[in-house]
Amino acid sequence: MSNQPQSKHPETILLHAGYRADPATGAVAVPIYQTTSYQFESAEHAADLFALRKLGNIYTRIMNPTTDVLEKRVAALDGGVAALALGSGQAASAFAIQNLAAAGDNIVSSTDLYGGTWNLFANTLKLQGIETRFVDPQDPEAFRRATDHKTRAYYAETLPNPKLKVFPIAEVARIGRGFGIPLIMDNTAAPIICRPFAHGAAVNVYSTTKYIGGHGTSIGGMIVDGGNFDWAAHKERQPLLNTPDPSYHGAVWSEAVKPLGPIAYIIRARVVLLRDLGASMSPLSAFQFIQGLETLPLRMERHCANGQAVAQFLVKQPGISNVIYPSLQTGEAKRRADAYLKGGYGSLVGFELAGGREAGRRFIDALRLFYHVANIGDARSLAIHPATTTHSQLSPEEQLATGVSDGYVRLSIGIEHIEDILADLTQALAAAGTARRAAE
Ligand code: PLP
């Protein structure tokens, strides 16, 4: 590994970090290690692996050589120390919290979340005894006000849709660090263009299903440990990492893995949560995500260029009451977009049709190039009407809190030629306009 090219550039890291060639065959593409188990070298070797005296392959539920390359590449991309791949983005968000908070504890989260994450926090984690205190992300001090002695983590999305207002990462990370509370950032919508660790976040989570995969073939998630948070300095604040773990012979995670580096958080997530809850990524999916990573920097460039062009196009169209895109924002929102996003403003574009729900329905049904799907971050252009789909399980009040109105349409702009994207939008807007007149 030591003779591998070193680089600080994502374009190089994502093709080279963590793997050169298969030691067994010389294969240049990362092999798909489709195996459940690994033959131990000796009884002593097996005992060392189980006792974490050595790191190595035991069983694919908790580690796999294909997945390992993916984890190393995403960790290197983000400037973190290690990563953990999981079966979905939802599993990544859940584990990221469960690794710090237990029944009776709480977290403080931004209100501006993907609907699935909102449900996880507001309902499922609540049933497990973990309370989520939702606060307005535009007011960093709200995180401080919601904090008490049982608060274990802060959580937010870098570029949350539908509002697409970039989260004040440094401001909230700083408040958290004062209490010994890490900021966990869901950076799903902004890989490459945002680097949360550089602004003080301690943990990143991804739905790799989106831009990292890029081709809409596989569901997956990732937690990345920034290695920049001193868990041992906050013993009372972070009990799960600082008190003996009865499930591991009384290991205290902030101490037990010190010789291996600042990886206490991600090791616990792997050897405790993944061991017990089992939301593993399959080796085949890991292979697909490795392919996606190789072209991620190029795709993000085109995603961002096309997103910008679509936003500028929509602003000029009649029948649209509001276009939501970071570069169009003003004031503090624009300042944050410029401070935290580098190289583009992403590919998510929102807009509100003046004709409301009926116009939204007509627009979606008229699309020919855009796919009507519940995904984002695919190489293809995608569209959805959140009020009746992704956010439909939320109450009307919750929908409004997350920024979803009746006429809101979300676009995830792909990497097709911009002329074809704009042509499809033009004809679908014409169809939506017709609907508006019919409804009037
Ligand atoms: N986080 C964000 C920002 C998302 O958009 C999504 C999915 O849409 C998720 C998390 C959940 O990811 P997954 O669908 O891979 O479980």
Side-chain angles (χ1 to χ4, degrees):
M1 210 71 77
S2 54
N3 62 356
Q4 274 191 246
Q6 299 289 318
S7 176
K8 60 181 172 32
H9 301 291
E11 295 83 349
T12 310
I13 288 171
L14 293 177
L15 285 159
H16 293 280
Y19 175 86
R20 181 68 184 171
D22 180 35
T25 64
V28 171
V30 179
I32 304 167
Y33 284 97
Q34 194 71 35
T35 182
T36 56
S37 324
Y38 307 86
Q39 160 106 323
F40 303 122
E41 291 161 18
S42 63
E44 187 190 356
H45 177 230
D48 283 346
L49 292 179
F50 274 87
L52 297 181
R53 285 189 292 273
K54 284 188 181 149
L55 288 184
N57 296 316
I58 298 175
Y59 188 57
T60 284
R61 185 180 343 110
I62 45 175
M63 74 279 279
N64 174 277
T66 310
T67 312
D68 181 57
V69 177
L70 173 69
E71 290 164 342
K72 288 199 166 90
R73 288 196 176 161
V74 178
L77 170 69
D78 277 2
V81 289
L84 177 65
L86 293 163
S88 67
Q90 283 299 108
S93 312
F95 276 33
I97 301 301
Q98 289 168 322
N99 206 32
L100 297 173
D105 295 339
N106 67 71
I107 63 166
V108 182
S109 170
S110 161
T111 48
D112 293 3
L113 294 178
Y114 163 61
T117 311
W118 180 288
N119 265 330
L120 168 70
F121 289 0
N123 299 305
T124 299
L125 288 186
K126 187 175 171 189
L127 284 173
Q128 295 175 1
I130 300 169
E131 179 202 353
T132 301
R133 301 173 173 187
F134 292 103
V135 297
D136 177 1
Q138 298 314 309
D139 176 12
E141 285 297 319
F143 280 78
R144 188 195 304 281
R145 290 194 296 275
T147 299
D148 69 12
H149 69 290
K150 289 283 202 177
T151 305
R152 306 293 179 225
Y154 292 165
Y155 190 98
E157 292 180 14
T158 305
L159 183 56
N161 74 80
K163 291 179 190 162
L164 299 178
K165 285 191 178 165
V166 174
F167 184 75
I169 303 172
E171 293 90 326
V172 175
R174 199 175 312 117
I175 294 170
R177 281 175 185 273
F179 289 114
I181 295 172
L183 173 61
I184 301 169
M185 289 303 304
D186 179 340
N187 201 38
T188 297
I192 310 255
I193 59 174
C194 183
R195 296 173 58 79
F197 298 152
H199 306 290
V203 174
N204 288 344
V205 303
Y206 288 97
S207 165
T208 55
T209 314
K210 312 291 167 8
Y211 297 89
I212 288 177
H215 300 87
T217 63
S218 312
I219 299 282
M222 184 76 69
I223 306 178
V224 189
D225 187 337
N228 59 2
F229 200 87
D230 189 355
W231 305 102
H234 304 286
K235 292 200 163 41
E236 289 197 1
R237 173 64 71 180
Q238 301 297 346
L240 288 185
L241 292 177
N242 284 297
T243 47
D245 184 343
S247 85
Y248 238 104
H249 304 301
V252 175
W253 293 110
S254 64
E255 301 297 334
V257 291
K258 238 183 198 162
L260 302 173
I263 56 170
Y265 175 87
I266 205 76
I267 282 282
R268 183 183 187 276
R270 184 185 295 279
V271 304
V272 176
L273 293 179
L274 190 52
R275 176 197 64 184
D276 295 352
L277 301 174
S280 329
M281 178 183 284
S282 82
L284 180 57
S285 297
F287 174 81
Q288 304 275 14
F289 293 127
I290 290 168
Q291 307 314 301
L293 279 182
E294 292 192 354
T295 57
L296 181 64
L298 274 176
R299 280 186 287 111
M300 286 308 288
E301 270 178 41
R302 176 66 78 86
H303 275 302
C304 291
N306 282 353
Q308 176 76 28
V310 165
Q312 282 166 346
F313 163 84
L314 290 174
V315 166
K316 295 187 215 120
Q317 304 308 307
I320 293 179
S321 55
N322 191 14
V323 180
I324 300 148
Y325 190 68
S327 69
L328 300 179
Q329 289 157 0
T330 55
E332 189 58 14
K334 178 68 170 24
R335 188 198 68 74
R336 285 180 187 146
D338 289 334
Y340 294 119
L341 303 182
K342 298 290 172 216
Y345 296 96
S347 84
L348 300 178
V349 183
F351 65 96
E352 285 174 292
L353 284 158
R357 191 170 282 246
E358 177 59 14
R361 201 182 59 75
R362 283 287 182 114
F363 173 83
I364 293 280
D365 281 344
L367 289 168
R368 293 177 197 149
L369 177 83
F370 280 69
Y371 283 83
H372 178 206
V373 297
N375 196 16
I376 59 167
D378 194 297
R380 302 158 192 83
S381 288
L382 316 172
I384 200 150
H385 183 236
T388 53
T389 54
T390 51
H391 287 59
S392 62
Q393 282 153 30
L394 309 187
S395 70
E397 298 74 39
E398 287 172 336
Q399 282 196 6
L400 274 185
T402 61
V404 168
S405 67
D406 269 3
Y408 182 86
V409 174
R410 181 186 76 201
L411 304 178
S412 174
I413 305 301
I415 61 173
E416 301 96 338
H417 197 285
I418 189 64
E419 276 177 22
D420 297 322
I421 294 172
L422 297 184
D424 196 32
L425 291 174
T426 304
Q427 64 82 23
L429 284 170
T434 307
R436 199 173 73 255
R437 279 196 295 280
E440 278 163 5

